[in-house]
Amino acid sequence: ERTFDAMRDSIVIYDANLCVVQANAAAYRAGAWPDLKGAEGVSCRAFQECDAAWCDICPTKKALATGKAQQAKLVDGKRKKTYLVSSYPIFDKDGTVSRVISTSKDITAREHMEGELAHARKLNAIGPLSSGLAHDFNNLLQIIAGNADIASLDAGDNEELAHCLREIKDATQRGRDMVQQLLAAVNPLRMGHKKVQ
């Protein structure tokens, strides 16, 4: 019993009616049970304070029905926790499932870290792509601006043409400024990714 209670993960043994046979201290602490004892005979849902939606994916319920080990990730919106629940059937001598032992591991921190890493990977992919596109776009703008300069030499006294060419050059300069802003925005993101890693 001391070994059972020393486990950090919640461990509960349920009977064939999904009522508590025995629970360790961690299981009591994870719920809102008033004491570290006295839950024997209480239904699974009442003891765990489960969300009603969990019943459809409950690994304990499935292990009892199928006679096979089951596992599911359950998100507790009330406590803002994520649990990895694993349930294993225990058989009688005649082969029927008489008990199910369920373990529950709080993986909230791990899920948060995995989310951070996934976000960092996205930034890592976006950074080089944005940088490459910005440089390619900048090269196109240089070609446009260069041709506008050459055309300006042939514009002569045609003020309307000279005005249009100035508009083109002004637009390419605005495009260059936008490219610089994009590169300035991408570089801190990539640096932030390195810090997360």
Side-chain angles (χ1 to χ4, degrees), residues 27-33 45-51 54 75-83 106 108:
Y28 278 100
R29 286 193 298 268
W33 207 253
R45 189 170 170 195
F47 180 65
Q48 300 285 1
E49 291 191 319
C50 297
D51 189 307
W54 285 15
V75 179
D76 186 342
K78 183 179 177 181
R79 297 182 182 93
K80 302 194 183 306
K81 298 268 189 184
T82 303
Y83 298 96
D106 185 346
T108 309

Side-chain angles (χ1 to χ4, degrees), residues 133-166:
L133 287 173
H135 285 299
D136 288 344
F137 186 61
N138 200 40
N139 290 339
L140 290 173
L141 291 173
Q142 286 181 331
I143 293 169
I144 294 168
N147 281 286
D149 284 336
I150 292 169
S152 295
L153 298 175
D154 296 332
D157 295 331
N158 189 334
E159 187 54 38
E160 186 177 348
L161 177 59
H163 175 73
C164 289
L165 292 170
R166 281 195 299 275

Side-chain angles (χ1 to χ4, degrees), residues 113-147:
M113 182 61 70
E114 286 176 357
E116 290 286 319
L117 288 174
H119 182 63
R121 288 188 191 104
K122 286 179 185 176
L123 292 180
N124 191 41
I126 290 169
L129 177 64
S130 300
S131 182
L133 287 173
H135 285 299
D136 288 344
F137 186 61
N138 200 40
N139 290 339
L140 290 173
L141 291 173
Q142 286 181 331
I143 293 169
I144 294 168
N147 281 286

Side-chain angles (χ1 to χ4, degrees), residues 174-188:
R174 287 196 300 273
R176 284 191 186 117
D177 293 341
M178 289 173 63
V179 167
Q180 291 306 312
Q181 289 173 9
L182 177 61
L183 289 173
V186 166
N187 285 333

